[in-house]
Amino acid sequence: QSALTQPPSASGSPGQSVTISCTGTSSDVGGYDYVSWYQQHPGKAPKVMIYEVTKRPSGVPDRFSGSKSGNTASLTVSGLQTEDEAEYYCSSYADNNNYVFGTGTKVTVL
Amino acid sequence: QLQLQESGPGLMRPSETLSLTCTVSGGSTYTSSFYWGWIRQPPGKGLEWIGNIYYTGTTYYNPSLKSRLTMSADTSKNQFSLKLTSVTAADTAVYYCVTQRGYHYVDWGQGTLVTVSS
């Protein structure tokens, strides 16, 4: 199972929006609405920000939103704040009870 | 919210068997509410799903690790465990234990670094 493809980096100024893509195949992202997104600050464990493509856990700001089209899922962070600077990973359920993560995207707040 | 704590050897030699345990507090491992899982992250690299186990003992493993991997749970101790045989430098990583609710990971341990070196 190959890792999902994410851009290595993304950036934006405070208050702006940034969108991160996560590209897979019909065996994972495209085949199931089970994409989740994780935020990881340096030295910390990841934290789920979005699950099942668009759902936001309690406590996650509504500045974070998710979507999917075909084999590509996306995470959008609106109204960027300095604390949003982190590494972001997507994850998807895949055929035959497998799970695959994305390659990770470093978000920088300029 | 559950608290998870990994425990393991820290440093290992190639070809040894890695044994990690995750101790759960704030809830029981004997629950149908979610799966218990392991995820690892090599230093400076991305996340990799290792596998998960249900309270019934049903397991699902990453195909790339399946031949070397065994997961188990001890509900009497509120723990679940991982054994990975024949480790190499490629198994050097921070290992996280997690709860999987539905198809996403909610609770994470702090992670434990396992280094494989001769």
Side-chain angles (χ1 to χ4, degrees):
Chain A
Q1 195 77 36
S2 298
L4 307 176
T5 301
Q6 296 181 234
S9 62
S11 62
S13 299
Q16 290 187 330
S17 295
V18 64
T19 296
I20 304 165
S21 62
C22 169
T23 301
T25 69
S26 59
S27 296
D28 38 63
V29 175
Y32 307 93
D33 287 334
Y34 295 135
V35 175
S36 49
W37 289 90
Y38 301 85
Q39 177 192 66
Q40 186 179 34
H41 288 110
K44 301 295 186 181
K47 172 188 175 183
V48 62
M49 306 302 283
I50 295 288
Y51 67 100
E52 293 175 11
V53 179
T54 61
K55 298 178 181 178
R56 205 170 40 249
S58 173
V60 172
D62 60 7
R63 303 183 290 104
F64 291 84
S65 62
S67 62
K68 191 185 87 166
S69 177
N71 295 337
T72 298
S74 298
L75 172 73
T76 297
V77 186
S78 306
L80 268 175
Q81 299 184 6
T82 55
E83 60 262 35
D84 299 332
E85 184 162 297
E87 192 84 20
Y88 290 82
Y89 294 93
C90 60
S91 175
S92 176
Y93 176 78
D95 289 348
N96 302 314
N97 292 300
N98 290 325
Y99 293 83
V100 60
F101 280 96
T103 50
T105 299
K106 169 65 176 173
V107 169
T108 300
V109 181
L110 302 171
Chain B
Q1 188 172 356
L2 297 174
Q3 287 80 50
L4 309 177
Q5 179 66 58
E6 306 89 350
S7 56
L11 179 63
M12 302 184 62
R13 303 298 184 194
S15 81
E16 292 183 335
T17 295
L18 169 63
S19 294
L20 293 174
T21 297
C22 183
T23 300
V24 179
S25 56
S28 171
T29 55
Y30 194 78
T31 176
S32 61
S33 297
F34 39 79
Y35 284 77
W36 307 95
W38 293 93
I39 290 167
R40 70 181 183 179
Q41 184 172 35
K45 296 187 178 180
L47 301 167
E48 180 183 30
W49 175 70
I50 297 173
N52 56 33
I53 183 168
Y54 200 42
Y55 79 109
T56 58
T58 300
T59 55
Y60 298 102
Y61 298 153
N62 185 320
S64 69
L65 299 170
K66 187 174 183 177
S67 64
R68 299 191 291 132
L69 182 62
T70 303
M71 294 179 61
S72 60
D74 187 336
T75 55
S76 67
K77 295 182 178 179
N78 237 24
Q79 294 176 332
F80 60 102
S81 301
L82 167 160
K83 288 189 186 298
L84 186 67
T85 62
S86 303
V87 297
T88 70
D91 296 310
T92 294
V94 174
Y95 286 74
Y96 294 100
C97 57
V98 299
T99 60
Q100 179 185 325
R101 305 187 193 228
Y103 299 86
H104 62 285
Y105 313 102
V106 177
D107 307 295
W108 295 66
Q110 65 184 25
T112 185
L113 175 62
V114 175
T115 302
V116 181
S117 175
S118 56

mmCIF file of all heavy atoms in Angstrom, chain A residues 25-50:
data_model
loop_
_atom_site.group_PDB
_atom_site.id
_atom_site.type_symbol
_atom_site.label_atom_id
_atom_site.label_comp_id
_atom_site.label_asym_id
_atom_site.label_seq_id
_atom_site.Cartn_x
_atom_site.Cartn_y
_atom_site.Cartn_z
ATOM 1 N N THR A 25 -5.953 6.672 -4.415
ATOM 2 C CA THR A 25 -6.496 5.899 -5.538
ATOM 3 C C THR A 25 -7.937 5.488 -5.234
ATOM 4 O O THR A 25 -8.472 5.800 -4.175
ATOM 5 C CB THR A 25 -5.655 4.627 -5.755
ATOM 6 O OG1 THR A 25 -5.869 3.747 -4.644
ATOM 7 C CG2 THR A 25 -4.166 4.938 -5.883
ATOM 8 N N SER A 26 -8.506 4.755 -6.144
ATOM 9 C CA SER A 26 -9.870 4.272 -5.942
ATOM 10 C C SER A 26 -9.929 3.173 -4.879
ATOM 11 O O SER A 26 -11.009 2.810 -4.423
ATOM 12 C CB SER A 26 -10.441 3.738 -7.255
ATOM 13 O OG SER A 26 -9.635 2.688 -7.759
ATOM 14 N N SER A 27 -8.762 2.674 -4.475
ATOM 15 C CA SER A 27 -8.696 1.650 -3.434
ATOM 16 C C SER A 27 -8.648 2.241 -2.037
ATOM 17 O O SER A 27 -8.738 1.496 -1.052
ATOM 18 C CB SER A 27 -7.463 0.754 -3.641
ATOM 19 O OG SER A 27 -7.556 0.048 -4.850
ATOM 20 N N ASP A 28 -8.473 3.528 -1.949
ATOM 21 C CA ASP A 28 -8.440 4.160 -0.632
ATOM 22 C C ASP A 28 -9.293 5.431 -0.642
ATOM 23 O O ASP A 28 -10.500 5.368 -0.452
ATOM 24 C CB ASP A 28 -7.002 4.420 -0.159
ATOM 25 C CG ASP A 28 -6.045 4.874 -1.258
ATOM 26 O OD1 ASP A 28 -6.284 5.955 -1.817
ATOM 27 O OD2 ASP A 28 -5.091 4.167 -1.565
ATOM 28 N N VAL A 29 -8.687 6.576 -0.884
ATOM 29 C CA VAL A 29 -9.427 7.849 -0.801
ATOM 30 C C VAL A 29 -10.681 7.833 -1.661
ATOM 31 O O VAL A 29 -11.768 8.223 -1.205
ATOM 32 C CB VAL A 29 -8.521 9.025 -1.207
ATOM 33 C CG1 VAL A 29 -9.333 10.323 -1.246
ATOM 34 C CG2 VAL A 29 -7.346 9.171 -0.246
ATOM 35 N N GLY A 30 -10.549 7.403 -2.901
ATOM 36 C CA GLY A 30 -11.671 7.452 -3.828
ATOM 37 C C GLY A 30 -12.753 6.435 -3.544
ATOM 38 O O GLY A 30 -13.905 6.607 -3.978
ATOM 39 N N GLY A 31 -12.412 5.384 -2.829
ATOM 40 C CA GLY A 31 -13.356 4.301 -2.625
ATOM 41 C C GLY A 31 -14.164 4.369 -1.348
ATOM 42 O O GLY A 31 -15.159 3.643 -1.207
ATOM 43 N N TYR A 32 -13.755 5.229 -0.442
ATOM 44 C CA TYR A 32 -14.406 5.276 0.871
ATOM 45 C C TYR A 32 -14.450 6.709 1.402
ATOM 46 O O TYR A 32 -13.540 7.501 1.153
ATOM 47 C CB TYR A 32 -13.619 4.418 1.875
ATOM 48 C CG TYR A 32 -13.373 3.002 1.425
ATOM 49 C CD1 TYR A 32 -12.194 2.662 0.754
ATOM 50 C CD2 TYR A 32 -14.309 1.997 1.650
ATOM 51 C CE1 TYR A 32 -11.960 1.376 0.313
ATOM 52 C CE2 TYR A 32 -14.076 0.698 1.221
ATOM 53 C CZ TYR A 32 -12.902 0.395 0.549
ATOM 54 O OH TYR A 32 -12.680 -0.891 0.127
ATOM 55 N N ASP A 33 -15.486 7.011 2.154
ATOM 56 C CA ASP A 33 -15.586 8.325 2.799
ATOM 57 C C ASP A 33 -15.017 8.242 4.214
ATOM 58 O O ASP A 33 -15.655 8.655 5.186
ATOM 59 C CB ASP A 33 -17.036 8.800 2.824
ATOM 60 C CG ASP A 33 -17.523 9.238 1.453
ATOM 61 O OD1 ASP A 33 -16.685 9.638 0.617
ATOM 62 O OD2 ASP A 33 -18.743 9.170 1.212
ATOM 63 N N TYR A 34 -13.815 7.712 4.294
ATOM 64 C CA TYR A 34 -13.176 7.501 5.587
ATOM 65 C C TYR A 34 -11.796 8.168 5.605
ATOM 66 O O TYR A 34 -10.799 7.569 6.021
ATOM 67 C CB TYR A 34 -13.050 6.020 5.898
ATOM 68 C CG TYR A 34 -14.384 5.321 6.067
ATOM 69 C CD1 TYR A 34 -14.629 4.086 5.468
ATOM 70 C CD2 TYR A 34 -15.408 5.908 6.810
ATOM 71 C CE1 TYR A 34 -15.856 3.450 5.622
ATOM 72 C CE2 TYR A 34 -16.631 5.279 6.965
ATOM 73 C CZ TYR A 34 -16.854 4.047 6.372
ATOM 74 O OH TYR A 34 -18.063 3.424 6.510
ATOM 75 N N VAL A 35 -11.760 9.412 5.170
ATOM 76 C CA VAL A 35 -10.530 10.188 5.211
ATOM 77 C C VAL A 35 -10.515 11.012 6.491
ATOM 78 O O VAL A 35 -11.518 11.637 6.850
ATOM 79 C CB VAL A 35 -10.404 11.130 3.994
ATOM 80 C CG1 VAL A 35 -9.163 12.009 4.123
ATOM 81 C CG2 VAL A 35 -10.356 10.317 2.705
ATOM 82 N N SER A 36 -9.385 11.011 7.171
ATOM 83 C CA SER A 36 -9.218 11.825 8.368
ATOM 84 C C SER A 36 -7.939 12.641 8.246
ATOM 85 O O SER A 36 -7.061 12.322 7.440
ATOM 86 C CB SER A 36 -9.192 10.952 9.639
ATOM 87 O OG SER A 36 -8.289 9.870 9.505
ATOM 88 N N TRP A 37 -7.875 13.703 9.018
ATOM 89 C CA TRP A 37 -6.737 14.620 8.991
ATOM 90 C C TRP A 37 -6.207 14.809 10.413
ATOM 91 O O TRP A 37 -6.989 14.941 11.361
ATOM 92 C CB TRP A 37 -7.150 15.966 8.415
ATOM 93 C CG TRP A 37 -7.429 15.946 6.949
ATOM 94 C CD1 TRP A 37 -8.626 15.702 6.339
ATOM 95 C CD2 TRP A 37 -6.485 16.191 5.898
ATOM 96 N NE1 TRP A 37 -8.487 15.775 4.971
ATOM 97 C CE2 TRP A 37 -7.188 16.078 4.680
ATOM 98 C CE3 TRP A 37 -5.130 16.508 5.861
ATOM 99 C CZ2 TRP A 37 -6.567 16.267 3.434
ATOM 100 C CZ3 TRP A 37 -4.510 16.691 4.637
ATOM 101 C CH2 TRP A 37 -5.221 16.571 3.440
ATOM 102 N N TYR A 38 -4.876 14.865 10.533
ATOM 103 C CA TYR A 38 -4.219 14.979 11.818
ATOM 104 C C TYR A 38 -3.232 16.140 11.814
ATOM 105 O O TYR A 38 -2.520 16.356 10.825
ATOM 106 C CB TYR A 38 -3.482 13.671 12.163
ATOM 107 C CG TYR A 38 -4.442 12.510 12.204
ATOM 108 C CD1 TYR A 38 -4.774 11.835 11.028
ATOM 109 C CD2 TYR A 38 -5.072 12.136 13.379
ATOM 110 C CE1 TYR A 38 -5.703 10.805 11.036
ATOM 111 C CE2 TYR A 38 -6.001 11.103 13.397
ATOM 112 C CZ TYR A 38 -6.318 10.459 12.228
ATOM 113 O OH TYR A 38 -7.254 9.457 12.229
ATOM 114 N N GLN A 39 -3.215 16.849 12.932
ATOM 115 C CA GLN A 39 -2.279 17.940 13.146
ATOM 116 C C GLN A 39 -1.218 17.467 14.131
ATOM 117 O O GLN A 39 -1.558 16.898 15.175
ATOM 118 C CB GLN A 39 -3.021 19.156 13.730
ATOM 119 C CG GLN A 39 -2.150 20.338 14.071
ATOM 120 C CD GLN A 39 -2.922 21.367 14.900
ATOM 121 O OE1 GLN A 39 -3.312 21.110 16.040
ATOM 122 N NE2 GLN A 39 -3.178 22.530 14.323
ATOM 123 N N GLN A 40 0.046 17.713 13.810
ATOM 124 C CA GLN A 40 1.119 17.307 14.706
ATOM 125 C C GLN A 40 2.098 18.450 14.906
ATOM 126 O O GLN A 40 2.745 18.893 13.959
ATOM 127 C CB GLN A 40 1.854 16.076 14.169
ATOM 128 C CG GLN A 40 2.898 15.536 15.140
ATOM 129 C CD GLN A 40 3.606 14.301 14.630
ATOM 130 O OE1 GLN A 40 3.840 14.147 13.441
ATOM 131 N NE2 GLN A 40 3.956 13.386 15.542
ATOM 132 N N HIS A 41 2.212 18.896 16.139
ATOM 133 C CA HIS A 41 3.235 19.879 16.489
ATOM 134 C C HIS A 41 4.516 19.140 16.852
ATOM 135 O O HIS A 41 4.469 17.974 17.268
ATOM 136 C CB HIS A 41 2.749 20.753 17.651
ATOM 137 C CG HIS A 41 1.683 21.715 17.267
ATOM 138 N ND1 HIS A 41 0.373 21.603 17.677
ATOM 139 C CD2 HIS A 41 1.734 22.832 16.481
ATOM 140 C CE1 HIS A 41 -0.336 22.595 17.175
ATOM 141 N NE2 HIS A 41 0.459 23.356 16.439
ATOM 142 N N PRO A 42 5.664 19.802 16.707
ATOM 143 C CA PRO A 42 6.950 19.131 16.956
ATOM 144 C C PRO A 42 7.026 18.486 18.332
ATOM 145 O O PRO A 42 6.696 19.112 19.342
ATOM 146 C CB PRO A 42 7.960 20.277 16.822
ATOM 147 C CG PRO A 42 7.312 21.238 15.893
ATOM 148 C CD PRO A 42 5.853 21.180 16.226
ATOM 149 N N GLY A 43 7.415 17.236 18.349
ATOM 150 C CA GLY A 43 7.581 16.518 19.603
ATOM 151 C C GLY A 43 6.295 16.060 20.259
ATOM 152 O O GLY A 43 6.329 15.526 21.373
ATOM 153 N N LYS A 44 5.169 16.263 19.592
ATOM 154 C CA LYS A 44 3.877 15.904 20.165
ATOM 155 C C LYS A 44 3.210 14.801 19.358
ATOM 156 O O LYS A 44 3.557 14.552 18.204
ATOM 157 C CB LYS A 44 2.955 17.127 20.196
ATOM 158 C CG LYS A 44 3.495 18.297 20.996
ATOM 159 C CD LYS A 44 3.605 17.963 22.465
ATOM 160 C CE LYS A 44 4.017 19.181 23.283
ATOM 161 N NZ LYS A 44 4.142 18.865 24.733
ATOM 162 N N ALA A 45 2.236 14.146 19.996
ATOM 163 C CA ALA A 45 1.439 13.167 19.282
ATOM 164 C C ALA A 45 0.451 13.876 18.364
ATOM 165 O O ALA A 45 0.025 14.998 18.652
ATOM 166 C CB ALA A 45 0.685 12.278 20.267
ATOM 167 N N PRO A 46 0.109 13.253 17.246
ATOM 168 C CA PRO A 46 -0.898 13.849 16.355
ATOM 169 C C PRO A 46 -2.247 14.005 17.050
ATOM 170 O O PRO A 46 -2.548 13.318 18.021
ATOM 171 C CB PRO A 46 -0.980 12.836 15.205
ATOM 172 C CG PRO A 46 0.341 12.138 15.223
ATOM 173 C CD PRO A 46 0.687 12.038 16.684
ATOM 174 N N LYS A 47 -3.059 14.885 16.476
ATOM 175 C CA LYS A 47 -4.412 15.156 16.978
ATOM 176 C C LYS A 47 -5.360 15.163 15.788
ATOM 177 O O LYS A 47 -5.080 15.806 14.768
ATOM 178 C CB LYS A 47 -4.455 16.513 17.678
ATOM 179 C CG LYS A 47 -5.842 16.979 18.068
ATOM 180 C CD LYS A 47 -5.812 18.416 18.576
ATOM 181 C CE LYS A 47 -7.211 18.948 18.849
ATOM 182 N NZ LYS A 47 -7.196 20.363 19.274
ATOM 183 N N VAL A 48 -6.481 14.456 15.911
ATOM 184 C CA VAL A 48 -7.431 14.415 14.807
ATOM 185 C C VAL A 48 -8.152 15.743 14.679
ATOM 186 O O VAL A 48 -8.646 16.292 15.669
ATOM 187 C CB VAL A 48 -8.422 13.235 14.957
ATOM 188 C CG1 VAL A 48 -9.266 13.354 16.216
ATOM 189 C CG2 VAL A 48 -9.299 13.112 13.727
ATOM 190 N N MET A 49 -8.212 16.247 13.448
ATOM 191 C CA MET A 49 -8.867 17.525 13.175
ATOM 192 C C MET A 49 -10.146 17.346 12.349
ATOM 193 O O MET A 49 -11.095 18.114 12.489
ATOM 194 C CB MET A 49 -7.902 18.452 12.426
ATOM 195 C CG MET A 49 -6.558 18.654 13.115
ATOM 196 S SD MET A 49 -6.713 19.305 14.773
ATOM 197 C CE MET A 49 -7.063 21.028 14.451
ATOM 198 N N ILE A 50 -10.138 16.355 11.473
ATOM 199 C CA ILE A 50 -11.275 16.045 10.602
ATOM 200 C C ILE A 50 -11.366 14.526 10.479
ATOM 201 O O ILE A 50 -10.335 13.844 10.383
ATOM 202 C CB ILE A 50 -11.106 16.652 9.203
ATOM 203 C CG1 ILE A 50 -11.101 18.177 9.254
ATOM 204 C CG2 ILE A 50 -12.179 16.135 8.232
ATOM 205 C CD1 ILE A 50 -12.463 18.812 9.547
#
